[in-house]
Amino acid sequence: MAQLYLGLMSGTSLDGVDAVLADLDRGQTVILAAAHVDFGADLRNELAALTCSGSNEIDRASTLGNRLASIYAEASMRALSDAGRTAADVRAIGCHGQTVRHRPERGYTVQIGNAALLAELTGITVVADFRSRDIAAGGQGAPLVPAFHARAFADANEERAILNLGGIANLTVLRRGSSPLGFDTGPGNCLMDHWAQRHLGRPYDDNGAWAADGTVDAALLERMLDEVYFRAEPPKSTGRELFNPAWLDGLLHPGANPRDVQATLLELTAVSAARAIRDHAGGTRRVIACGGGTRNTALMRGLERRLAPWPVESSDCHGVPAQLVEAAAFAWLAQQALEGRGGNLPSVTGAKGSRILGAIHHGAG
Ligand SMILES: Nc1ncnc2c1ncn2[C@@H]1O[C@H](COP(=O)(O)OP(=O)(O)O)[C@@H](O)[C@H]1O
Ligand SMILES: [Mg+2]
């Protein structure tokens, strides 16, 4: 019998929401349909503003949470109608929500998106707030995708590294004979996106073409790599609280050439991720990349250069399209929650133990 779940992921890039309808019966991940709803510039700006301290935060967060629920419902319904299915066919939606604050060191993380309203709008059971329980158990609450990476991409014959190039980049090391390792390596697309918006008026640098035309500023790169986060040992996770425009502005010299800064930001993502793989995945023979950053050709070439002779392949070649891996992971996390199974990996997050993740908002009927 099919076990249909919807997964919804809207990540730190603030680009929009990815929805996936997947059949998760018997250990498989069969993607039946997918949809993407873009946030647009206004919503993106309002969400970005909410990731830093400001006035009237509770009202702004709650109002934006309601808007997100409508967008999440739209994405869910689009995926369903693409597959010729209805809400009644789906066991649950796994909804990550939109992170506006991630502070595991202070014991909390906040993802907005009004899961109760999403359950009302769709009539489908919604599982949300996956990260809080892991943090309550002493973990980082992130990354949560490594357990799904293990299910989708593990190979008994070789160690593999999975690199998710979202707004923040995260790494999973699928080791042979021991549980996976995983952590955020640092910025993925978020700083490059910010810089492209500021100087080109575009949400991202298409294919990394602008960066590829620039020259890496070695001194600036060194100042960036001096950030203590890069040297900290895992478990560790990060977000826009650290890698944000103020962090970048604090390191720039006046008169820096914008194109060279973009080239340097691309280099920062590639070098920090490649170093993390070399330092923590020495036995790796293959790097599988996913997330929107895989569409940044210059970034992928940069990673390949730094990681040769190991191949860097898109997850497209390994059964799950690169843009859908995280959404599929949250569909699977919803299934884990409904079936009373753990979703976190203590070896990754540092939590005291495995925990059933998420709060459940029951659907109609
Ligand atoms: N054609 C492209 N060229 C360069 N970058 C791209 C392209 N398409 C998508 N991206 C990048 O991917 C990001 C979205 O990736 P995504 O995996 O959804 O991240 P997140 O999980 O943080 O939302 C965009 O913000 C952009 O930086
Ligand atoms: Mg996204």
Side-chain angles (χ1 to χ4, degrees):
M1 242 241 321
Q3 288 239 16
L4 302 195
Y5 284 83
L6 278 158
L8 295 176
M9 181 66 205
S10 54
T12 41
S13 294
L14 304 173
D15 57 318
V17 60
D18 292 298
V20 134
L21 178 69
D23 182 357
L24 302 178
D25 189 32
R26 275 172 269 181
Q28 302 288 304
T29 307
V30 180
I31 307 246
L32 303 177
H36 176 87
V37 178
D38 203 86
F39 284 163
D42 288 349
L43 181 55
R44 186 166 22 255
N45 290 339
E46 287 182 56
L47 290 169
L50 202 54
T51 63
C52 309
S53 297
S55 64
N56 200 19
E57 284 178 346
I58 293 176
D59 188 61
R60 285 160 58 212
S62 306
T63 311
L64 285 176
N66 289 349
R67 267 170 75 188
L68 286 171
S70 298
I71 293 171
Y72 293 164
E74 184 190 337
S76 304
M77 291 312 173
R78 274 202 212 166
L80 276 181
S81 78
D82 262 22
R85 303 287 188 150
T86 66
D89 298 327
V90 180
R91 292 195 68 200
I93 297 174
C95 178
H96 175 267
Q98 188 64 52
T99 299
V100 291
R101 227 51 71 83
H102 181 67
R103 294 207 192 280
E105 73 287 359
R106 295 194 196 175
Y108 74 87
T109 183
V110 180
Q111 284 78 45
I112 61 170
N114 199 342
L117 178 57
L118 180 59
E120 280 297 321
L121 293 173
T122 58
I124 301 171
T125 294
V126 176
V127 189
D129 191 21
F130 289 92
R131 301 190 187 276
S132 291
R133 185 59 186 270
D134 183 81
I135 291 186
Q140 289 287 310
L144 293 181
V145 285
F148 177 76
H149 288 164
R151 169 189 157 113
F153 303 122
D155 183 300
N157 298 314
E158 64 177 17
E159 179 173 309
R160 292 178 163 185
I162 317 301
L163 181 64
N164 176 43
L165 296 164
I168 296 292
N170 59 272
L171 172 69
T172 301
V173 187
L174 300 174
R175 302 179 287 194
R176 284 193 302 167
S178 55
S179 49
L181 192 74
F183 56 92
D184 290 343
T185 62
N189 310 307
C190 63
L191 294 172
M192 287 190 280
D193 285 354
H194 157 73
W195 201 247
Q197 186 65 51
R198 188 147 128 191
H199 291 276
L200 304 178
R202 295 203 292 261
Y204 57 82
D205 176 13
D206 199 6
N207 278 325
W210 189 43
D213 268 353
T215 305
V216 172
D217 177 336
L220 174 60
L221 180 63
E222 209 164 298
R223 290 199 295 282
M224 291 172 170
L225 287 168
D226 235 14
E227 168 59 51
V228 291
Y229 182 81
F230 295 119
R231 290 193 303 276
E233 285 297 313
K236 61 178 179 174
S237 58
T238 189
R240 287 174 168 261
E241 295 77 16
L242 173 61
F243 295 110
N244 57 30
W247 179 85
L248 176 59
D249 287 342
L251 297 172
L252 292 178
H253 285 322
N257 177 325
R259 201 175 42 196
D260 294 345
V261 172
Q262 187 75 347
T264 311
L265 287 171
L266 187 142
E267 194 77 355
L268 174 68
T269 296
V271 170
S272 54
R275 278 189 189 169
I277 292 170
R278 290 208 175 275
D279 290 351
H280 295 276
T284 289
R285 292 292 164 267
R286 186 181 307 278
V287 179
I288 300 175
C290 56
T294 54
R295 298 199 200 143
N296 184 328
T297 319
L299 177 60
M300 290 295 280
R301 294 293 92 81
L303 284 163
E304 280 166 4
R305 252 196 328 274
R306 255 156 220 91
L307 288 164
W310 306 337
V312 180
E313 298 164 344
S314 163
S315 70
D316 292 358
C317 321
H318 292 271
V320 190
Q323 189 59 45
L324 303 181
V325 172
E326 282 208 293
F330 281 87
W332 174 77
L333 282 165
Q335 184 190 43
Q336 292 294 100
L338 288 200
E339 297 191 353
R341 289 195 295 260
N344 60 336
L345 290 177
S347 64
V348 169
T349 65
K352 284 192 288 247
S354 172
R355 294 289 185 271
I356 302 168
L357 304 180
I360 300 175
H361 298 259
H362 291 278

